[in-house]
Amino acid sequence: HVQLVESGGGSVQAGDSLRLSCALSGSIYGSYCFGWFRAIPGKEREGVAARDSDGATTVADSVKGRFTISRDNAANTLYLQMDNLKPEDTAKYYCAADAPWYPGAPSLLRTTDWKYWGQGTQVTVS
């Protein structure tokens, strides 16, 4: 059984930085893909950044150059470094693990097919 627990959210000013953490526990395999997603009430959840099984990363255009996804294998933790935050980044952020990844697969920023999800952490930017 896999568990994901997010932390690091909070209320910040525009231009500030935050680093979200996602603690991974259970049967986490090195071949897993990982992703960060966000949701705003009344809107669909959207992909923010993802990391495939080879460690290659992809980020949404809306956060490109500001957000970075990384993983510390020794600490069993996934991170989302968020710099130069904007009010439109206000959302609840979720980490996810284990999505199908193969040649020709849809972008890992898709919100479907992820097997494991955390409970989310709120980020508010004013």
Side-chain angles (χ1 to χ4, degrees), residues 28-87:
I28 299 289
Y29 294 100
S31 60
Y32 276 7
C33 299
F34 297 93
W36 284 98
F37 301 81
R38 64 187 182 187
I40 303 169
K43 289 191 175 182
E44 289 188 6
R45 189 175 294 190
E46 64 174 356
V48 175
R51 185 179 184 277
D52 70 21
S53 53
D54 293 325
T57 61
T58 184
V59 294
D61 288 343
S62 59
V63 303
K64 195 163 289 183
R66 300 189 298 121
F67 289 16
T68 305
I69 183 173
S70 63
R71 181 187 176 191
D72 184 333
N73 291 336
N76 278 336
T77 304
L78 184 73
Y79 298 104
L80 183 68
Q81 177 67 41
M82 306 187 295
D83 298 320
N84 190 22
L85 282 159
K86 303 177 180 181

Side-chain angles (χ1 to χ4, degrees), residues 86-111:
K86 303 177 180 181
E88 51 264 42
D89 296 320
T90 295
K92 193 165 188 180
Y93 285 73
Y94 300 85
C95 61
D98 194 12
W101 185 242
Y102 49 86
S107 168
L108 282 173
L109 296 180
R110 68 185 189 271
T111 58

Side-chain angles (χ1 to χ4, degrees), residues 8-18 20 38-41 82 85-93 121-126:
S11 296
V12 297
Q13 300 290 318
D16 285 352
S17 296
L18 275 177
L20 304 184
R38 64 187 182 187
I40 303 169
M82 306 187 295
L85 282 159
K86 303 177 180 181
E88 51 264 42
D89 296 320
T90 295
K92 193 165 188 180
Y93 285 73
T121 184
Q122 179 68 34
V123 172
T124 303
V125 186
S126 59

